[in-house]
Amino acid sequence: MADPQPPEQHVDPWNVQGGEDGRIDYNKLVEQFGCSKLTEDLIARIEKATGKPAHPFLKRGIFFAHRDLADLLDCYEKGVPFYLYTGRGPSSEALHLGHLVPFMFTKYLQDAFNVPLVIQLTDDEKTLWKGLDINESRRLARENAKDIIACGFDISKTFIFSDFEYVGGAFYRNIVQIQRCVTMNQVRGIFGLGMEDYIGKIAFPAVQAAPSFPDTFPHMFGARKDIRCLIPCAIDQDPYFRMTRDVAPRIGHQKPALIESRFFPALQGEGGKMSASDTNSAIFTNDTPAQIKTKINKYAFSGGCTTTQEHREKGANLEVDVPWKYLNFFLEDDKALEHIGKEYASGRMLTGEIKAELIKVLSDLVARHQQTRAAVTDDVVDAFMAIRPMAAVADGKA
Amino acid sequence: MADPQPPEQHVDPWNVQGGEDGRIDYNKLVEQFGCSKLTEDLIARIEKATGKPAHPFLKRGIFFAHRDLADLLDCYEKGVPFYLYTGRGPSSEALHLGHLVPFMFTKYLQDAFNVPLVIQLTDDEKTLWKGLDINESRRLARENAKDIIACGFDISKTFIFSDFEYVGGAFYRNIVQIQRCVTMNQVRGIFGLGMEDYIGKIAFPAVQAAPSFPDTFPHMFGARKDIRCLIPCAIDQDPYFRMTRDVAPRIGHQKPALIESRFFPALQGEGGKMSASDTNSAIFTNDTPAQIKTKINKYAFSGGCTTTQEHREKGANLEVDVPWKYLNFFLEDDKALEHIGKEYASGRMLTGEIKAELIKVLSDLVARHQQTRAAVTDDVVDAFMAIRPMAAVADGKA
């Protein structure tokens, strides 16, 4: 018998499977997908263009890849307007911290560049893939919108929409144009869809592609096609936008630019995304302080040694340590982070101590989020989701 | 070398190919599709239920097949409401006479049963299949709506919609529900779609299916699911509704009933449908009297004999004679029709004479149509296409 093959790394929009050691090789992913690594140089250009310090997610390599970002910055500097497009598939009651990452980063981009933003809630996708009842998908979309709004988006520049409510008109016309450029063979190649898949799944990639084009939003941009689009997302969404970028010039549109993040690891360790269906795999925005404390102490995978004595001697392995990784996402103070890293790696700081730091950071973050979210009424959701003109939005650079 | 195989009859929503003799074997089609033949008995029931004489298209076997029509009549007699659904793919500037057939028949059904009607203009289909520019498809949809309105539909009970304008909301939600019940394998089996086809084509059958369910039209029927649907169409559309009927119970809907017609033959003879792209294959609603006369005299395939002497002796073959077939569609007077048939079959009437009869009938019909159509302004089109409540419609039987 042949030796069993080690698992191969596989990443698509619905599945993330690490390689032999369970971890994701992001360099390999960049090469495979054909996107580019985000260089120091580009981060410096973002700081210069916005006149604001780069977000920690940029400095710490959490958003680490891109497509056409240099080109987008060229345009921005020349006064060509752009808008941001991101989204979420509403499959759970509350978001977990991994879900917050692209929204926290998008909020920074919206503030720094002062640009309009569209947020797609793919309730149709969740009905198609997870078999969720349509009305349950719609309800979750609105619940998730509250968590998203609580990230602090500017209502004068932000349009949130659910596919089940907003598909139609200009949006549907762009969907059909995209669907007329992509064959079944292509979605098999890009997404692995096959003969047994529902036709809704086969058609869906165009629904996620269409918001990349400004005339999908006539109430915001009229029929303008010159406005550029920048998509902040996790790198598993790259296949959608590879397809979109391929189609764009064929239907008279510009290719959207992308800025792409690593995955936020599960409490149990890297090699996957957190799962909304396993409540112990993640910290959720509606967790209590007690739940946060218990989950981190009980489930957060540690890179520290098993005995205190051994730990003091050898120190912690930051490469696999989940509390350390989480702090890299959410502890904003660079100096404090650096200090913790040194202390923990050297063994001077114990696993219990770094977990205590993380518990404090996340309890604060979640408490703030819950406070903000409590103020997000249904009226506020309606206001963000209203189809309305947005003054000065189409003029771009503020 | 083997003998070349005779062509096999093939009918799908986009292609009609006759058998060995170029003609359509309708009995074979009914058997293959699994629908039922429309019996004398059922026609008598329609007359009884409506209190009106059956339309000539029924009496003459032009609408000749059905699905669940007896069941629909049972419901109607018990006071369960139903609505009519028909449509058109807008690929030409003007309709030809073959296009008018389902609309003339639908007008009769609307009047006789006094029921609401929805008419779908599949401008998206024409963009997907014929590559028509989206705005050109939308323009043709409105032009075609004028021809359709000129058939005399009751604006208080008729909603005309274009997919590019009306897909969205409740309609889109039904589309996705249908798309979650049909696999790529199934659309390959039903429609012959394959790996090289665009994903828009693969997804489209759900767009034509969704109007079969009343809650696709919340402005007309609210969220009611008890209202039945009857679809008058040519039999080549049967595959769409076979798929729809398969899906219906799985998503909590009733199966639509169908009443299905033969094809209106091309001027050159049976064995195909008329083509909007070959102006000499059909009489169009915007043809002049001179064009009608020339086309019939020059192109209408004759079942008469080549010399007058031979014709007087042998008579005409009505089975293949196009003027005779056209008169069966459009000469309302049963006695006059019967007389012409006898005279022509016996040889007493010559080809030129039956053609003269047809020229008179069609010139009158087209002139009346043109006069009515001239009164259909853009405002009238807007009124028929307005999303509006329809009083008393949901209460069914008048």
Side-chain angles (χ1 to χ4, degrees):
Chain A
M1 258 176 77
D3 288 334
Q5 291 291 311
E8 282 217 24
Q9 171 169 305
H10 175 84
V11 173
D12 69 34
W14 308 281
N15 300 291
V16 173
Q17 164 74 51
E20 202 168 345
D21 57 358
R23 296 171 64 191
I24 304 292
D25 181 338
Y26 286 102
N27 287 327
K28 198 169 157 187
L29 214 51
V30 164
E31 197 180 313
Q32 182 195 334
F33 284 0
C35 45
S36 307
K37 292 196 79 170
L38 194 51
T39 57
E40 293 291 328
D41 198 46
L42 266 173
I43 297 172
R45 278 195 67 190
I46 292 173
E47 290 196 315
K48 189 155 169 267
T50 60
K52 300 209 170 78
H55 192 280
F57 289 172
L58 283 171
K59 287 184 287 183
R60 297 173 192 172
I62 287 167
F63 277 79
F64 75 106
H66 76 99
R67 287 179 185 266
D68 275 356
L69 189 60
D71 180 45
L72 185 99
L73 289 169
D74 289 345
C75 288
Y76 181 73
E77 285 163 359
K78 287 178 199 144
V80 177
F82 78 89
Y83 68 102
L84 296 162
Y85 159 37
T86 191
R88 153 150 185 82
S91 61
S92 65
E93 200 70 33
L95 270 59
H96 60 52
L97 295 184
H99 297 141
L100 286 188
V101 168
F103 292 110
M104 293 169 78
F105 187 64
T106 301
K107 159 149 174 72
Y108 147 76
L109 291 174
Q110 179 179 55
D111 292 347
F113 286 100
N114 189 25
V115 286
L117 161 65
V118 298
I119 300 174
Q120 179 179 44
L121 302 172
T122 55
D123 43 10
D124 52 349
E125 180 203 359
K126 291 304 163 186
T127 290
L128 288 165
W129 263 265
K130 307 243 171 184
L132 278 190
D133 171 80
I134 283 183
N135 287 327
E136 177 64 3
S137 285
R138 292 165 75 194
R139 190 186 68 77
L140 290 177
R142 283 184 67 92
E143 284 307 305
N144 286 189
K146 291 176 186 170
D147 270 323
I148 292 166
I149 291 166
C151 292
F153 295 107
D154 178 350
I155 193 167
S156 75
K157 295 192 186 64
T158 304
F159 175 52
I160 303 179
F161 63 98
S162 118
D163 291 338
F164 276 141
E165 312 300 325
Y166 185 65
V167 165
F171 190 178
Y172 182 61
R173 294 192 282 274
N174 273 341
I175 289 170
V176 170
Q177 274 205 303
I178 296 159
Q179 288 178 336
R180 188 160 68 85
C181 294
V182 180
T183 65
M184 178 64 202
N185 258 332
Q186 287 172 297
V187 295
R188 180 172 65 178
I190 302 170
F191 302 102
L193 293 165
M195 299 303 289
E196 293 304 325
D197 278 308
Y198 292 130
I199 59 173
K201 289 187 181 184
I202 291 161
F204 176 77
V207 180
Q208 184 155 333
S212 309
F213 305 134
D215 59 356
T216 293
F217 308 98
H219 57 287
M220 295 174 70
F221 307 121
R224 286 181 67 171
K225 293 190 165 192
D226 62 317
I227 301 173
R228 299 293 305 260
C229 176
L230 172 63
I231 303 172
C233 61
I235 196 161
D236 61 332
Q237 301 298 302
D238 189 80
Y240 280 117
F241 302 113
R242 234 180 300 151
M243 184 199 86
T244 309
R245 289 166 52 89
D246 179 56
V247 167
R250 297 163 60 193
I251 60 173
H253 274 291
Q254 298 187 78
K255 296 181 178 188
L258 290 156
I259 185 162
E260 300 170 304
S261 78
R262 295 163 178 262
F263 306 121
F264 187 81
L267 278 170
Q268 285 74 9
E270 218 198 28
K273 290 198 289 185
M274 302 198 293
S275 162
S277 52
D278 177 3
T279 52
N280 287 328
S281 70
I283 308 291
F284 286 83
T285 55
N286 60 353
D287 280 348
T288 62
Q291 285 175 312
I292 294 172
K293 191 175 170 184
T294 306
K295 283 186 186 179
I296 291 172
N297 282 331
K298 199 163 166 188
Y299 300 111
F301 186 85
S302 175
C305 299
T306 34
T307 67
T308 305
Q309 193 188 343
E310 196 191 349
H311 185 81
R312 294 286 188 212
E313 280 166 24
K314 299 187 181 165
N317 178 3
L318 300 189
E319 286 291 304
V320 299
D321 190 84
V322 166
W324 169 247
K325 285 177 186 293
Y326 276 29
L327 284 171
N328 266 274
F329 277 84
F330 295 119
L331 176 57
E332 284 185 25
D333 185 331
D334 286 334
K335 279 185 186 161
L337 184 72
E338 197 189 339
H339 178 73
I340 290 170
K342 275 188 188 154
E343 294 296 297
Y344 189 44
S346 71
R348 283 190 298 274
M349 180 178 267
L350 296 175
T351 295
E353 290 166 334
I354 193 173
K355 285 193 170 182
E357 290 282 350
L358 180 65
I359 288 164
K360 190 173 163 304
V361 167
L362 294 191
S363 300
D364 284 359
L365 185 151
V366 169
R368 276 200 313 275
H369 183 88
Q370 288 173 359
Q371 205 173 0
T372 320
R373 190 191 194 280
V376 181
T377 61
D378 277 320
D379 285 349
V380 172
V381 174
D382 288 342
F384 270 95
M385 297 183 83
I387 295 168
R388 62 203 192 276
M390 290 196 191
V393 148
D395 299 328
K397 200 172 172 179
Chain B
M1 258 176 78
D3 287 334
Q5 290 293 309
E8 282 218 22
Q9 171 170 304
H10 175 85
V11 174
D12 69 34
W14 309 281
N15 300 291
V16 173
Q17 164 73 53
E20 203 168 345
D21 58 358
R23 295 172 65 190
I24 304 292
D25 181 338
Y26 286 103
N27 287 328
K28 198 169 158 187
L29 214 51
V30 164
E31 197 179 313
Q32 183 195 332
F33 284 1
C35 44
S36 307
K37 291 195 80 170
L38 193 51
T39 58
E40 294 292 329
D41 199 46
L42 266 172
I43 296 171
R45 279 196 66 190
I46 292 172
E47 290 194 317
K48 188 154 171 268
T50 61
K52 301 208 168 82
H55 192 279
F57 289 171
L58 283 171
K59 289 184 286 185
R60 298 175 191 172
I62 288 166
F63 276 79
F64 75 106
H66 76 98
R67 288 179 183 265
D68 275 356
L69 188 59
D71 180 46
L72 184 98
L73 289 170
D74 289 344
C75 288
Y76 180 73
E77 284 164 358
K78 288 179 199 143
V80 177
F82 79 89
Y83 68 101
L84 296 162
Y85 158 37
T86 191
R88 154 150 184 81
S91 61
S92 64
E93 199 70 32
L95 270 57
H96 59 54
L97 295 184
H99 296 141
L100 286 188
V101 168
F103 292 110
M104 293 168 80
F105 186 65
T106 301
K107 155 140 177 77
Y108 148 76
L109 291 174
Q110 180 179 56
D111 291 347
F113 286 100
N114 188 24
V115 286
L117 161 66
V118 298
I119 300 174
Q120 178 178 44
L121 303 172
T122 54
D123 43 10
D124 51 349
E125 181 203 359
K126 291 305 162 186
T127 289
L128 288 166
W129 263 265
K130 306 243 170 184
L132 278 191
D133 172 79
I134 283 184
N135 286 328
E136 177 64 3
S137 284
R138 293 164 75 194
R139 188 185 70 77
L140 291 176
R142 284 185 66 91
E143 284 307 305
N144 285 190
K146 291 178 186 171
D147 270 322
I148 292 165
I149 291 166
C151 292
F153 294 107
D154 178 350
I155 193 167
S156 75
K157 293 193 187 62
T158 304
F159 175 53
I160 304 179
F161 62 98
S162 118
D163 290 338
F164 276 142
E165 312 299 326
Y166 185 65
V167 165
F171 190 178
Y172 181 61
R173 294 192 283 273
N174 273 341
I175 289 172
V176 170
Q177 273 206 302
I178 296 159
Q179 289 177 336
R180 187 158 69 86
C181 294
V182 181
T183 64
M184 178 64 203
N185 258 332
Q186 286 171 298
V187 296
R188 180 173 65 179
I190 303 169
F191 301 102
L193 294 165
M195 299 303 290
E196 294 303 326
D197 278 309
Y198 293 130
I199 60 173
K201 290 187 180 183
I202 291 161
F204 176 77
V207 180
Q208 184 154 333
S212 309
F213 306 133
D215 60 355
T216 294
F217 308 99
H219 58 286
M220 296 174 71
F221 307 121
R224 287 182 67 172
K225 293 190 165 193
D226 62 317
I227 302 172
R228 299 292 306 260
C229 176
L230 173 62
I231 302 171
C233 60
I235 197 162
D236 61 331
Q237 301 298 302
D238 190 80
Y240 280 117
F241 302 113
R242 233 181 300 150
M243 183 198 87
T244 308
R245 288 166 53 88
D246 178 56
V247 167
R250 297 164 61 193
I251 60 174
H253 274 291
Q254 298 186 82
K255 296 179 179 190
L258 290 155
I259 184 162
E260 300 171 304
S261 77
R262 294 163 178 263
F263 307 120
F264 187 81
L267 278 171
Q268 285 74 8
E270 219 199 27
K273 288 198 290 186
M274 302 197 294
S275 163
S277 52
D278 176 4
T279 53
N280 288 328
S281 71
I283 309 291
F284 286 84
T285 56
N286 59 354
D287 280 349
T288 62
Q291 286 175 310
I292 294 172
K293 190 175 173 185
T294 306
K295 284 186 186 179
I296 292 172
N297 282 331
K298 198 162 167 187
Y299 300 110
F301 185 83
S302 176
C305 298
T306 33
T307 67
T308 305
Q309 192 186 343
E310 195 189 351
H311 184 81
R312 294 284 188 216
E313 280 166 23
K314 300 187 180 163
N317 177 5
L318 300 189
E319 286 290 305
V320 299
D321 190 84
V322 166
W324 169 247
K325 286 177 185 291
Y326 276 29
L327 284 171
N328 266 275
F329 278 83
F330 295 118
L331 177 58
E332 283 184 27
D333 184 332
D334 286 334
K335 280 184 188 163
L337 184 71
E338 197 189 340
H339 177 74
I340 290 170
K342 275 188 188 153
E343 294 296 297
Y344 189 44
S346 72
R348 283 191 297 276
M349 180 179 267
L350 297 175
T351 295
E353 290 166 332
I354 193 173
K355 285 192 170 183
E357 290 283 349
L358 180 65
I359 288 164
K360 191 174 164 302
V361 168
L362 294 191
S363 300
D364 284 359
L365 186 150
V366 169
R368 277 201 312 278
H369 183 89
Q370 288 174 359
Q371 205 172 358
T372 319
R373 191 191 192 281
V376 181
T377 60
D378 278 320
D379 285 349
V380 173
V381 175
D382 288 341
F384 270 95
M385 297 184 82
I387 296 168
R388 61 201 193 278
M390 290 197 190
V393 148
D395 298 327
K397 200 171 171 179

